[in-house]
């Protein structure tokens, strides 16, 4: 007897829909018969051959195959011990549809982690302490903990004096956000920094403090972080160390402190209050600059007169803890700052608009800068709802720290989540060689050049399942089972961008499409495959059925189970697609 879903029509009579069991697609059956040599059972040896030849998992061993079979028998047949070391077609299909056993990307850290820090894209948060919008939400240590537990490695804290000027609060300045004590934030970072990943956490500080409070921050950091605080002997990083050598380290990055000298020349031993000024082209603040107050990430050295730094140092104990010195540039000086030759490694911060402008006017200067230094890009100040921008332009130009509102939402954040699920979710993704190299003429990568097609990605969307387990039977449609279809996007350099979709399968909780899509790619190293399932609605907007984003360079060839995630990036328990990836 099959099982049925009943849907009430017009409040009086029921419609009955049979729930069909998922059948293996023809490609799965064909692979089974081919590798089992036409037999009813596939041996461990034959499964190993399938994994190496068909799935291209060249490091797969007999031990791995034994583990796979053990898992499948335990889950499918609830057997702790296998009677025979072989798969039926149903076992084989079951295995292929398990994303933890046969996922689309390698679940382990597998990139070379011995390169210097600036050779990696780094999973980075913006205003990491905010629970909601940028203007009036609470500041808390909770979103910091959540970010660290999700693998984020770059945490941003804005430091301000408390109301009595004797302690340090974290809040978004010049807004109605409620503060959280810095001590709580530091303690949460200490306790959760390495829960998800052993690789270094970089704390970028936006510092609005007097020297005595900077000294207090230094004392607090040393007391809480202890030996895990990375303090180079020279006082700052001259060349970025290898990421592997920074395991379990916490790194502070901000502008080095200055003496704040008022125009009335304070007496020796006194300092006037610091004057905080956003970067602008002249001394008078225009109305639009006043509006930009939210946007200023003022945690960096000011490059006055296009490159020459000003100010004397203060708070020596604080300065000693700043491993990565940071700076920003006035708009009219940006190109010169990108080009200026500085021996030591540093970090530069740009807003998303500044990055877009620089990328359109002098892209090669941006790429060349990121071959030696860190570039951080943060959301524009008008994103008061904590929305985000597409990270792809920043990644294409080598920006390592694309700072996102992790408490936000939307497709840009899905891209960020998906990108950093790669490399074992450790928060570091090695930049492709083309972004770190020069050609024989000394030229660097230029994203806008008409590159030739270098590889073609072929994607088959076979089927989907799991919605009936994760959703109520009337979630998508009150009167009938859902009508699912899948949308597929390539996001990357402009010439690689593409989108396509499957046909709509009506009234089926386990839709079967078996459709192939072809994507010619020029720069596959910087391409993302974005997948979204929708439920077709004739009378209203189509419903959301799940999404994921996968770096093309990380895709494992062969037939794969692709898990889907909800709008907030949380993995569904059961919802997944069966797909095939092939590179030609």
């Amino acid at each position: 007897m099959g099982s049925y879903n009943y849907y009430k029509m017009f409040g009086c009579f029921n419609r009955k829909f049979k729930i069909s069991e998922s059948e293996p697609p023809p490609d799965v059956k064909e692979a089974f018969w081919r590798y089992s040599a036409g037999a009813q059972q596939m041996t461990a040896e034959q499964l190993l051959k399938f994994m190496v030849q068909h799935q291209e998992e060249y490091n797969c061993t007999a031990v791995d195959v034994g583990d796979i079979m053990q898992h499948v028998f335990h889950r499918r047949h609830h057997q702790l011990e296998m009677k025979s070391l072989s798969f039926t077609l149903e076992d084989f299909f079951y295995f292929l549809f398990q994303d933890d056993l046969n996922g689309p990307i390698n679940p382990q850290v597998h990139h070379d982690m011995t390169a210097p820090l600036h050779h990696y894209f780094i999973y980075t948060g913006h205003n990491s302490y905010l629970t909601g919008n940028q203007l009036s939400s609470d500041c808390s240590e909770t979103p910091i903990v959540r970010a660290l537990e999700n693998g984020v490695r770059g945490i941003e804290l804005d430091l301000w004096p408390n109301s009595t000027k004797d302690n340090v609060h974290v809040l978004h300045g010049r807004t109605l956000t409620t503060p959280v004590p810095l001590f709580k934030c530091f303690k949460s970072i200490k306790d959760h920094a390495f829960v998800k990943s052993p690789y270094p956490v970089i704390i970028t500080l936006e510092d609005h403090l007097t020297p005595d409070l900077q000294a207090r921050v230094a004392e607090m950091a040393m007391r809480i972080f202890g030996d895990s605080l990375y303090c180079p002997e020279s006082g700052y990083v001259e060349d970025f160390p290898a990421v592997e050598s920074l395991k379990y380290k916490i790194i502070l990055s901000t502008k080095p402190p200055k003496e704040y000298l008022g125009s009335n020349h304070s007496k020796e031993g006194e300092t006037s209050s610091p004057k905080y000024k956003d970067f602008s082209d002249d001394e008078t603040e225009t109305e639009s600059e006043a509006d930009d107050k939210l946007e200023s990430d003022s945690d960096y050295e000011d490059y006055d007169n296009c490159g020459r730094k000003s100010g004397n140092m203060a708070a020596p104990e604080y300065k000693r803890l700043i491993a990565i010195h940071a700076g920003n540039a006035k708009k009219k000086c940006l190109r010169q700052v990108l080009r200026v030759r500085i021996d030591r490694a540093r970090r530069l911060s740009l807003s998303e608009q500044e990055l877009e402008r620089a990328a359109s006017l002098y892209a090669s200067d941006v790429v060349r800068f990121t071959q030696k230094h860190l570039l951080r890009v943060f959301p524009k100040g008008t994103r008061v709802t904590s929305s985000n921008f597409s990270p792809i332009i920043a990644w294409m130009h080598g920006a390592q720290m694309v700072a996102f509102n992790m408490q936000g939402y939307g497709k840009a954040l899905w891209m960020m989540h998906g990108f950093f699920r790669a490399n074992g979710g450790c928060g570091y993704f090695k930049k492709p060689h083309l972004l770190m190299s020069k050609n024989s003429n000394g030229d660097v990568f230029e994203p806008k050049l008409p590159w030739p097609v270098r590889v073609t990605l072929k994607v088959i969307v076979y089927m989907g399942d799991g919605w009936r387990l994760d959703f109520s039977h009337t979630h998508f449609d009150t009167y009938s089972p859902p009508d699912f279809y899948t949308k597929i996007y390539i996001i990357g350099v402009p010439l690689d961008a593409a989108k396509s979709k499957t046909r709509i399968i009506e009234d089926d909780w386990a839709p079967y499409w078996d459709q192939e899509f072809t994507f010619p790619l020029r720069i596959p190293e910087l391409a993302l495959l974005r997948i979204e399932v929708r439920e077709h609605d004739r009378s209203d907007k189509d419903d959301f059925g799940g999404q994921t984003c996968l770096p093309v360079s990380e895709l494992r060839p062969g037939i794969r189970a692709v898990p889907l995630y909800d709008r907030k990036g949380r993995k569904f328990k059961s919802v997944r697609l069966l797909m095939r990836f092939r590179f030609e």
Side-chain angles (χ1 to χ4, degrees):
M1 283 285 290
S3 54
Y4 294 87
N5 275 151
Y6 294 90
Y7 294 84
K8 204 171 271 299
M9 292 293 288
F10 313 119
C12 53
F13 65 88
N14 284 328
R15 292 177 78 193
K16 187 165 83 166
F17 289 91
K18 186 170 183 181
I19 299 173
S20 55
E21 285 302 313
S22 299
E23 282 277 313
D27 282 4
V28 171
K29 292 178 181 173
E30 194 274 330
F32 180 82
W33 301 127
R34 179 148 52 100
Y35 284 93
S36 69
Q40 296 294 316
Q41 304 273 336
M42 180 185 279
T43 65
E45 198 177 317
Q46 290 166 336
L47 180 60
L48 178 59
K49 196 174 177 185
F50 166 81
M51 295 302 289
V52 172
Q53 293 180 2
H54 189 280
Q55 304 291 84
E56 297 181 30
E57 291 192 30
Y58 302 116
N59 297 324
C60 190
T61 65
V63 174
D64 298 328
V65 164
D67 288 344
I68 288 168
M69 289 185 145
Q70 197 82 49
H71 279 295
V72 169
F73 273 78
H74 182 53
R75 291 179 203 177
R76 272 206 85 209
H77 310 295
H78 309 292
Q79 292 177 358
L80 292 174
E81 290 299 320
M82 293 180 290
K83 292 190 175 73
S84 63
L85 209 65
S86 61
F87 269 178
T88 62
L89 172 60
E90 290 71 27
D91 293 329
F92 181 64
F93 176 46
Y94 179 89
F95 152 63
L96 289 176
F97 222 161
Q98 300 299 302
D99 61 82
D100 62 327
L101 301 178
N102 184 45
I105 59 174
N106 188 334
Q108 308 299 323
V109 174
H110 59 282
H111 293 187
D112 172 18
M113 302 304 284
T114 61
L117 188 71
H118 65 294
H119 284 240
Y120 299 83
F121 296 119
I122 303 167
Y123 200 4
T124 304
H126 172 253
N127 291 351
S128 306
Y129 48 86
L130 286 179
T131 55
N133 69 60
Q134 302 286 309
L135 290 177
S136 59
S137 67
D138 291 337
C139 302
S140 166
E141 71 280 11
T142 305
I144 297 171
V145 171
R146 193 178 300 124
L148 291 168
E149 288 178 345
N150 287 332
V152 172
R153 301 289 85 191
I155 298 293
E156 183 189 26
L157 303 176
D158 291 11
L159 310 185
W160 293 84
N162 66 354
S163 55
T164 52
K165 305 281 191 286
D166 62 352
N167 214 328
V168 181
H169 274 166
V170 172
L171 73 152
H172 198 199
R174 311 183 187 94
T175 68
L176 302 173
T177 54
T178 56
V180 59
L182 175 62
F183 174 82
K184 270 190 170 181
C185 297
F186 274 2
K187 186 78 173 63
S188 297
I189 293 170
K190 164 75 174 166
D191 293 344
H192 297 88
F194 307 112
V195 168
K196 171 77 173 173
S197 166
Y199 292 101
V201 170
I202 301 169
I203 306 175
T204 58
L205 301 175
E206 188 177 313
D207 164 10
H208 305 270
L209 303 175
T210 53
D212 57 327
L213 286 178
Q214 288 173 340
R216 184 177 277 256
V217 171
E219 183 275 324
M220 203 185 295
M222 287 187 287
R223 179 161 42 90
I224 293 171
F225 298 133
D227 291 342
S228 60
L229 203 57
Y230 177 69
C231 302
E233 285 178 25
S234 65
Y236 55 80
V237 170
E238 293 181 37
D239 293 303
F240 288 117
V243 171
E244 189 67 31
S245 72
L246 294 170
K247 270 183 168 178
Y248 302 106
K249 288 294 182 187
I250 287 166
I251 303 169
L252 298 186
S253 177
T254 186
K255 69 177 178 185
K258 301 175 192 173
E259 289 281 8
Y260 295 104
L261 300 174
S263 55
N264 60 350
H265 299 291
S266 310
K267 292 178 203 159
E268 196 172 314
E270 290 180 11
T271 53
S272 66
S273 293
K275 183 178 179 225
Y276 305 108
K277 185 175 176 303
D278 297 319
F279 43 82
S280 55
D281 285 349
D282 54 47
E283 295 300 312
T284 57
E285 188 183 74
T286 65
E287 194 176 343
S288 68
E289 284 161 9
D291 291 341
D292 278 346
K293 283 288 190 199
L294 270 172
E295 194 174 338
S296 69
D297 266 19
S298 55
D299 57 327
Y300 323 106
E301 292 171 306
D302 295 312
Y303 285 84
D304 295 329
N305 302 319
C306 302
R308 290 193 299 279
K309 301 192 293 289
S310 63
N312 301 313
M313 297 304 177
E317 59 276 70
Y318 179 67
K319 179 186 170 258
R320 193 180 66 79
L321 299 184
I322 301 165
I324 301 174
H325 287 195
N328 72 346
K330 294 184 178 182
K331 287 165 190 161
K332 65 184 176 186
C333 301
L334 177 54
R335 188 170 196 185
Q336 286 158 279
V337 169
L338 289 170
R339 286 180 155 191
V340 75
R341 295 280 170 87
I342 291 182
D343 289 338
R344 70 170 187 264
R346 63 186 171 122
R347 174 171 69 81
L348 179 68
S349 238
L350 301 177
S351 70
E352 62 178 281
Q353 297 122 308
E354 288 176 304
L355 185 275
E356 279 173 22
R357 185 170 177 273
S360 66
L361 295 176
Y362 31 88
S364 57
D365 289 328
V366 180
V367 174
R368 193 172 275 107
F369 179 87
T370 64
Q371 292 183 349
K372 172 115 176 100
H373 306 286
L374 289 178
L375 180 58
R376 177 176 170 271
V377 183
F378 59 92
K380 61 187 178 184
T382 51
R383 294 189 181 276
V384 293
T385 60
S386 296
S387 64
N388 290 295
F389 55 100
S390 172
I392 204 75
I393 293 178
W395 286 335
M396 277 189 323
H397 292 84
Q400 296 91 343
M401 302 181 79
V402 183
F404 260 37
N405 295 309
M406 295 298 169
Q407 79 281 23
Y409 52 88
K411 290 167 187 160
L413 192 55
W414 297 350
M415 290 161 64
M416 183 65 73
H417 287 157
F419 190 77
F420 283 105
R421 283 188 201 111
N423 200 27
C426 76
Y428 284 82
F429 187 112
K430 193 155 192 295
K431 289 164 67 171
H433 177 70
L434 59 84
L435 279 173
M436 298 306 294
S437 57
K438 299 180 178 76
N439 66 15
S440 54
N441 298 326
D443 298 326
V444 296
F445 173 69
E446 173 53 79
K448 294 190 194 76
L449 287 178
W451 293 80
V453 171
R454 290 162 60 223
V455 71
T456 297
L457 170 65
K458 294 200 167 181
V459 177
I460 299 176
V461 185
Y462 291 119
M463 60 189 296
D465 205 356
W467 289 279
R468 61 185 151 187
L469 300 174
D470 292 352
F471 294 88
S472 75
H473 81 284
T474 55
H475 175 89
F476 295 104
D477 197 324
T478 313
Y479 305 116
S480 65
D483 310 323
F484 288 125
Y485 65 98
T486 299
K487 297 165 84 170
I488 298 184
Y489 303 81
I490 292 286
I491 301 155
V493 296
L495 286 171
D496 283 347
K499 62 180 177 179
S500 207
K501 63 181 177 183
T502 66
R503 65 187 181 278
I504 296 163
I505 302 297
E506 294 188 348
D507 299 337
D508 202 332
W509 281 101
Y512 179 78
W513 296 286
D514 198 6
Q515 284 181 259
E516 185 172 38
F517 304 93
T518 300
F519 301 107
L521 299 173
R522 290 148 189 86
I523 310 292
E525 300 93 330
L526 295 171
L528 288 171
L529 178 70
R530 190 170 86 72
I531 301 163
E532 188 176 348
V533 174
R534 310 288 294 185
E535 197 275 332
H536 179 62
D537 196 320
R538 289 176 187 80
S539 58
D540 203 355
K541 195 176 165 202
D542 289 357
D543 293 318
F544 172 82
Q547 59 81 23
T548 192
C549 212
L550 302 162
V552 168
S553 63
E554 293 285 297
L555 288 175
R556 299 205 283 192
I559 299 168
R560 300 290 174 182
V562 179
L564 297 186
Y565 298 78
D566 69 12
R567 290 182 186 277
K568 290 189 174 175
R570 294 172 303 207
K571 187 171 179 277
F572 286 122
K573 195 176 172 188
S574 316
V575 178
R576 60 210 187 278
L577 299 175
L578 189 68
M579 302 179 70
R580 183 173 181 177
F581 306 110
R582 201 161 75 242
F583 292 97
E584 291 182 354

